[in-house]
Amino acid sequence: MTLPRSTAELRALDAAHHLHPFSDNRALGAEGTRVIVKAEGVWLTDSEGNRILDGMSGLWCVNVGYGRDEIVDAVAAQMRELPYYNTFFKTTHQPAIDLAAKLAELTPPQFSRVFFTGSGSESNDTVIKLVRRYFQIKEKPEKRIIISRRNAYHGSTVAAGSLGGMAPMHEQSAPIPDVVHIAQPYWWGEARQGETPEEFGLRTARALEATIDALGEDRIAAFIAEPVQGAGGVIVPPATYWPEIARICRERDILFISDEVICGFGRTGQWFGCQTFGTQPDMLVMAKGITSGYMPLGGVMVADRVVEVLLEGGDFNHGYTYSGHPAACAAALANLDIMVREQLVERVANDAGPYLAARWRALAEHPLVGEAPMVGLVGALELTPDKLGRTKFPDVGKVGTLARDYSFRNGLVMRAVRDRLIIAPPLVISHGEMDELIARARKTLDETYAELKRWGWVR
Ligand code: PXG
């Protein structure tokens, strides 16, 4: 038996052997990582015994909370019965079949088929191939361009990273051709002075139409977007944005892809974000909340009218070893059972969502907060030295990181994106825990404000 290692030992080994994602690994090694040892409900415990409220559901995924034996048991039972088999070459198995049928039931009516993957990134790579294959079969192979948005996140593989609009990622790995990025609907950060959110929402939506016209509709295959941009900082579009996008997608011969890796499975108060915002996607991208993160799994729902064309085209030469992995599908089925039985989507819409939103939006009165949007159980706090002028701090990201570190010390995981703090807690978070989350967030704002006063960055 191996003895438990001390925190110092774990940190040293981690620094010596582990390259962390999206990290400055030298700085991280010097500073030392936080070692998480267990979790229950919405609470994490680190190797020093600190209990931390997980305001981010891990990485936007643990929707049903930690410690669900039902999922663990379903996975263990499946692994004893059939730990692995593939879904290539004329074979299949019950977990993949049951999950595919379940997803057809839970997703909007245009969907009855799913392509399984292992992650959100793999799902978006799959989307690119599906979209291009669709127009090849329709004998419009010149329709190849996919329109996306700046500051979108669609994953980290070469192709998914290209769909995403993250400049720091593109600087390190040039995007693939035939992806074009338009403006994001980020009113607080990007509207002109005097432009209302409604005006700005229409203007940014119409950038889609203008781009289709400029490049030629005969070259555009699809538009991809997250209902609420998550990793980009929880960018909640003005009310005019989605209806206008929906109109443009209806009028033009392009496919619309809703990337629901974060917004899916109850996060926004409906099963899927497209239902909250009233869009009609042709493909719906899933991962994260499909298993609440207990096992890695992703998928792409493909609308019937697209499937019909794909079926005419014969072989689709694409797939992953772990497409429809039986143990991951078993985790998803158990997870979805919990969501249905405990009515977690309804809970977000009618109880937890409104409860947290009322308290969260009140944080906008804090002198440091410019806006405090929340949809369902996902929200953001824009930190600013000047609310009315919508001014940004110098050295973007410094204040966000400062506040994020205070939050950690206060026992609350919030993520910082630029100078925006964001939360997406598990959908099971209780009223008492939401009160605790708000108290810790408020303390974090006060401490950050006091520090910025010492720096002379606020008056
Ligand atoms: N689409 C969206 C909308 C996502 O949020 C992906 C695709 C890619 O999924 P995978 O499973 O390949 O990671 C994501 C992932 C962050 C953060 O820092 C967000 C994600 C991943 C890692 C970090 O907020 N989202």
Side-chain angles (χ1 to χ4, degrees), residues 79-229:
M79 289 182 84
R80 285 200 186 88
E81 185 76 21
L82 178 71
Y84 175 75
Y85 203 73
N86 69 69
T87 51
F88 291 43
F89 317 132
K90 301 187 182 175
T91 59
T92 189
H93 47 69
Q94 188 166 346
I97 294 167
D98 285 347
L99 181 58
K102 188 79 198 167
L103 291 168
E105 188 188 311
L106 293 175
T107 51
Q110 67 268 38
F111 298 111
S112 34
R113 301 251 198 165
V114 63
F115 191 100
F116 286 121
T117 71
S119 68
S121 299
E122 287 180 2
S123 298
N124 280 322
D125 280 34
T126 303
V127 159
I128 297 176
K129 291 201 196 172
L130 283 168
V131 160
R132 295 201 172 145
R133 182 72 193 129
Y134 171 81
F135 283 113
Q136 268 177 11
I137 298 167
K138 291 191 68 160
E139 295 181 355
K140 294 180 183 171
E142 62 292 349
K143 277 174 88 74
R144 286 178 57 80
I145 296 174
I146 301 179
I147 301 176
S148 177
R149 302 181 298 179
R150 289 193 276 281
N151 196 39
Y153 190 78
H154 295 299
S156 206
T157 53
V158 173
S162 304
L163 283 184
M166 295 288 174
M169 290 175 73
H170 294 174
E171 280 158 22
Q172 294 185 2
S173 172
I176 60 170
D178 296 326
V179 179
V180 171
H181 297 91
I182 60 175
Q184 59 175 330
Y186 177 24
W187 177 81
W188 203 92
E190 297 183 356
R192 298 175 185 139
Q193 281 301 333
E195 194 175 24
T196 66
E198 291 70 27
E199 290 163 352
F200 175 76
L202 281 181
R203 178 162 71 84
T204 39
R206 286 176 188 158
L208 175 60
E209 198 163 41
T211 304
I212 295 170
D213 288 336
L215 299 175
E217 191 171 325
D218 54 343
R219 295 174 61 210
I220 311 293
F223 174 58
I224 183 169
E226 305 156 74
V228 171
Q229 272 170 310

Side-chain angles (χ1 to χ4, degrees), residues 59-60 119-121 124 153-155 226 231 259 261-262 287-288 415:
L59 210 44
W60 321 80
S119 68
S121 299
N124 280 322
Y153 190 78
H154 295 299
E226 305 156 74
D259 183 342
V261 169
I262 284 176
K288 294 190 191 275
R415 214 167 104 36

